[in-house]
mmCIF file of all heavy atoms in Angstrom:
data_model
loop_
_atom_site.group_PDB
_atom_site.id
_atom_site.type_symbol
_atom_site.label_atom_id
_atom_site.label_comp_id
_atom_site.label_asym_id
_atom_site.label_seq_id
_atom_site.Cartn_x
_atom_site.Cartn_y
_atom_site.Cartn_z
ATOM 1 N N GLY A 41 111.488 106.704 75.118
ATOM 2 C CA GLY A 41 110.494 106.304 74.138
ATOM 3 C C GLY A 41 109.089 106.527 74.655
ATOM 4 O O GLY A 41 108.801 107.534 75.289
ATOM 5 N N ASP A 42 108.229 105.580 74.401
ATOM 6 C CA ASP A 42 106.830 105.702 74.800
ATOM 7 C C ASP A 42 106.519 104.950 76.095
ATOM 8 O O ASP A 42 105.367 104.892 76.504
ATOM 9 C CB ASP A 42 105.925 105.169 73.690
ATOM 10 C CG ASP A 42 105.986 106.043 72.451
ATOM 11 O OD1 ASP A 42 106.288 107.239 72.604
ATOM 12 O OD2 ASP A 42 105.742 105.520 71.349
ATOM 13 N N ALA A 43 107.516 104.365 76.715
ATOM 14 C CA ALA A 43 107.273 103.566 77.919
ATOM 15 C C ALA A 43 106.924 104.485 79.092
ATOM 16 O O ALA A 43 107.555 105.506 79.315
ATOM 17 C CB ALA A 43 108.497 102.741 78.256
ATOM 18 N N GLU A 44 105.888 104.102 79.823
ATOM 19 C CA GLU A 44 105.475 104.832 81.017
ATOM 20 C C GLU A 44 105.333 103.842 82.156
ATOM 21 O O GLU A 44 104.938 102.703 81.948
ATOM 22 C CB GLU A 44 104.135 105.532 80.784
ATOM 23 C CG GLU A 44 104.175 106.601 79.737
ATOM 24 C CD GLU A 44 102.803 107.212 79.505
ATOM 25 O OE1 GLU A 44 101.800 106.616 79.949
ATOM 26 O OE2 GLU A 44 102.740 108.266 78.874
ATOM 27 N N ARG A 45 105.645 104.302 83.338
ATOM 28 C CA ARG A 45 105.498 103.442 84.506
ATOM 29 C C ARG A 45 105.274 104.307 85.737
ATOM 30 O O ARG A 45 105.462 105.512 85.708
ATOM 31 C CB ARG A 45 106.739 102.566 84.707
ATOM 32 C CG ARG A 45 107.982 103.336 85.105
ATOM 33 C CD ARG A 45 109.143 102.406 85.419
ATOM 34 N NE ARG A 45 110.330 103.159 85.732
ATOM 35 C CZ ARG A 45 110.628 103.657 86.931
ATOM 36 N NH1 ARG A 45 109.811 103.482 87.940
ATOM 37 N NH2 ARG A 45 111.750 104.323 87.128
ATOM 38 N N SER A 46 104.872 103.686 86.816
ATOM 39 C CA SER A 46 104.797 104.354 88.111
ATOM 40 C C SER A 46 105.580 103.508 89.095
ATOM 41 O O SER A 46 105.934 102.378 88.808
ATOM 42 C CB SER A 46 103.347 104.513 88.564
ATOM 43 O OG SER A 46 102.748 103.254 88.699
ATOM 44 N N GLY A 47 105.876 104.069 90.256
ATOM 45 C CA GLY A 47 106.622 103.333 91.268
ATOM 46 C C GLY A 47 107.861 104.080 91.711
ATOM 47 O O GLY A 47 107.907 105.309 91.654
ATOM 48 N N PRO A 48 108.882 103.360 92.166
ATOM 49 C CA PRO A 48 110.092 104.003 92.659
ATOM 50 C C PRO A 48 110.772 104.820 91.559
ATOM 51 O O PRO A 48 110.819 104.415 90.403
ATOM 52 C CB PRO A 48 110.980 102.842 93.084
ATOM 53 C CG PRO A 48 110.069 101.680 93.245
ATOM 54 C CD PRO A 48 108.935 101.907 92.309
ATOM 55 N N MET A 49 111.278 105.985 91.970
ATOM 56 C CA MET A 49 111.942 106.872 91.010
ATOM 57 C C MET A 49 113.449 106.730 91.115
ATOM 58 O O MET A 49 113.981 106.347 92.154
ATOM 59 C CB MET A 49 111.560 108.326 91.290
ATOM 60 C CG MET A 49 110.118 108.650 91.047
ATOM 61 S SD MET A 49 109.707 110.341 91.484
ATOM 62 C CE MET A 49 110.581 111.262 90.226
ATOM 63 N N LYS A 50 114.116 107.080 90.023
ATOM 64 C CA LYS A 50 115.572 107.125 89.974
ATOM 65 C C LYS A 50 115.979 108.586 89.832
ATOM 66 O O LYS A 50 115.211 109.391 89.298
ATOM 67 C CB LYS A 50 116.083 106.312 88.783
ATOM 68 C CG LYS A 50 115.713 104.853 88.838
ATOM 69 C CD LYS A 50 116.091 104.170 87.547
ATOM 70 C CE LYS A 50 115.483 102.765 87.518
ATOM 71 N NZ LYS A 50 115.460 102.229 86.172
ATOM 72 N N PRO A 51 117.169 108.947 90.313
ATOM 73 C CA PRO A 51 117.610 110.340 90.144
ATOM 74 C C PRO A 51 117.561 110.754 88.673
ATOM 75 O O PRO A 51 117.915 109.997 87.783
ATOM 76 C CB PRO A 51 119.049 110.321 90.661
ATOM 77 C CG PRO A 51 119.084 109.176 91.620
ATOM 78 C CD PRO A 51 118.146 108.159 91.053
ATOM 79 N N GLY A 52 117.064 111.964 88.449
ATOM 80 C CA GLY A 52 116.965 112.491 87.097
ATOM 81 C C GLY A 52 115.605 112.280 86.456
ATOM 82 O O GLY A 52 115.313 112.876 85.422
ATOM 83 N N GLU A 53 114.751 111.461 87.053
ATOM 84 C CA GLU A 53 113.431 111.216 86.492
ATOM 85 C C GLU A 53 112.445 112.279 86.965
ATOM 86 O O GLU A 53 112.619 112.895 88.006
ATOM 87 C CB GLU A 53 112.913 109.831 86.880
ATOM 88 C CG GLU A 53 113.663 108.705 86.227
ATOM 89 C CD GLU A 53 113.111 107.353 86.602
ATOM 90 O OE1 GLU A 53 112.532 107.200 87.686
ATOM 91 O OE2 GLU A 53 113.283 106.434 85.787
ATOM 92 N N THR A 54 111.388 112.443 86.188
ATOM 93 C CA THR A 54 110.324 113.383 86.520
ATOM 94 C C THR A 54 109.011 112.618 86.638
ATOM 95 O O THR A 54 108.697 111.772 85.808
ATOM 96 C CB THR A 54 110.202 114.463 85.430
ATOM 97 O OG1 THR A 54 111.451 115.144 85.315
ATOM 98 C CG2 THR A 54 109.130 115.471 85.776
ATOM 99 N N CYS A 55 108.272 112.946 87.662
ATOM 100 C CA CYS A 55 106.990 112.288 87.921
ATOM 101 C C CYS A 55 105.866 113.214 87.473
ATOM 102 O O CYS A 55 105.782 114.363 87.898
ATOM 103 C CB CYS A 55 106.859 111.991 89.416
ATOM 104 S SG CYS A 55 105.291 111.254 89.885
ATOM 105 N N ASP A 56 104.997 112.711 86.613
ATOM 106 C CA ASP A 56 103.810 113.447 86.200
ATOM 107 C C ASP A 56 102.715 113.095 87.189
ATOM 108 O O ASP A 56 102.261 111.954 87.246
ATOM 109 C CB ASP A 56 103.410 113.049 84.775
ATOM 110 C CG ASP A 56 102.248 113.865 84.244
ATOM 111 O OD1 ASP A 56 101.870 114.872 84.884
ATOM 112 O OD2 ASP A 56 101.712 113.501 83.192
ATOM 113 N N LEU A 57 102.323 114.055 87.998
ATOM 114 C CA LEU A 57 101.302 113.826 89.015
ATOM 115 C C LEU A 57 99.947 113.780 88.322
ATOM 116 O O LEU A 57 99.251 114.765 88.190
ATOM 117 C CB LEU A 57 101.342 114.929 90.066
ATOM 118 C CG LEU A 57 102.681 115.109 90.758
ATOM 119 C CD1 LEU A 57 102.674 116.338 91.627
ATOM 120 C CD2 LEU A 57 103.037 113.880 91.554
ATOM 121 N N TYR A 58 99.608 112.610 87.878
ATOM 122 C CA TYR A 58 98.417 112.382 87.073
ATOM 123 C C TYR A 58 97.231 112.108 87.971
ATOM 124 O O TYR A 58 97.292 111.266 88.861
ATOM 125 C CB TYR A 58 98.684 111.203 86.143
ATOM 126 C CG TYR A 58 97.651 110.982 85.082
ATOM 127 C CD1 TYR A 58 97.585 111.811 83.975
ATOM 128 C CD2 TYR A 58 96.764 109.931 85.185
ATOM 129 C CE1 TYR A 58 96.644 111.602 82.994
ATOM 130 C CE2 TYR A 58 95.826 109.714 84.206
ATOM 131 C CZ TYR A 58 95.766 110.547 83.111
ATOM 132 O OH TYR A 58 94.831 110.329 82.147
ATOM 133 N N ASP A 59 96.142 112.843 87.754
ATOM 134 C CA ASP A 59 94.912 112.625 88.509
ATOM 135 C C ASP A 59 94.073 111.611 87.745
ATOM 136 O O ASP A 59 93.495 111.927 86.706
ATOM 137 C CB ASP A 59 94.162 113.941 88.683
ATOM 138 C CG ASP A 59 92.968 113.811 89.597
ATOM 139 O OD1 ASP A 59 92.726 112.698 90.117
ATOM 140 O OD2 ASP A 59 92.270 114.817 89.796
ATOM 141 N N PHE A 60 94.014 110.397 88.242
ATOM 142 C CA PHE A 60 93.347 109.316 87.528
ATOM 143 C C PHE A 60 91.820 109.449 87.553
ATOM 144 O O PHE A 60 91.140 108.826 86.766
ATOM 145 C CB PHE A 60 93.762 107.962 88.096
ATOM 146 C CG PHE A 60 95.196 107.635 87.812
ATOM 147 C CD1 PHE A 60 96.177 107.822 88.780
ATOM 148 C CD2 PHE A 60 95.573 107.156 86.570
ATOM 149 C CE1 PHE A 60 97.497 107.539 88.512
ATOM 150 C CE2 PHE A 60 96.891 106.862 86.289
ATOM 151 C CZ PHE A 60 97.860 107.058 87.264
ATOM 152 N N THR A 61 91.261 110.266 88.459
ATOM 153 C CA THR A 61 89.804 110.393 88.529
ATOM 154 C C THR A 61 89.254 111.241 87.390
ATOM 155 O O THR A 61 88.215 110.927 86.833
ATOM 156 C CB THR A 61 89.366 111.000 89.874
ATOM 157 O OG1 THR A 61 90.004 112.267 90.052
ATOM 158 C CG2 THR A 61 89.713 110.076 91.019
ATOM 159 N N ASP A 62 89.935 112.335 87.040
ATOM 160 C CA ASP A 62 89.430 113.168 85.950
ATOM 161 C C ASP A 62 90.309 113.111 84.699
ATOM 162 O O ASP A 62 90.011 113.746 83.695
ATOM 163 C CB ASP A 62 89.223 114.611 86.386
ATOM 164 C CG ASP A 62 90.506 115.340 86.738
ATOM 165 O OD1 ASP A 62 91.589 114.744 86.623
ATOM 166 O OD2 ASP A 62 90.418 116.514 87.131
ATOM 167 N N GLY A 63 91.393 112.362 84.734
ATOM 168 C CA GLY A 63 92.214 112.137 83.555
ATOM 169 C C GLY A 63 93.098 113.299 83.158
ATOM 170 O O GLY A 63 93.456 113.426 82.003
ATOM 171 N N ARG A 64 93.452 114.157 84.124
ATOM 172 C CA ARG A 64 94.299 115.308 83.802
ATOM 173 C C ARG A 64 95.578 115.286 84.616
ATOM 174 O O ARG A 64 95.642 114.707 85.689
ATOM 175 C CB ARG A 64 93.569 116.602 84.124
ATOM 176 C CG ARG A 64 92.380 116.851 83.259
ATOM 177 C CD ARG A 64 92.032 118.293 83.304
ATOM 178 N NE ARG A 64 90.683 118.472 83.803
ATOM 179 C CZ ARG A 64 90.172 119.629 84.097
ATOM 180 N NH1 ARG A 64 90.884 120.707 83.997
ATOM 181 N NH2 ARG A 64 88.927 119.730 84.513
#
Side-chain angles (χ1 to χ4, degrees):
D42 293 334
E44 295 177 345
R45 68 175 177 84
S46 61
M49 294 177 69
K50 299 172 190 162
E53 291 181 333
T54 301
C55 177
D56 185 11
L57 303 172
Y58 190 75
D59 187 1
F60 292 100
T61 57
D62 66 1
R64 293 200 240 172

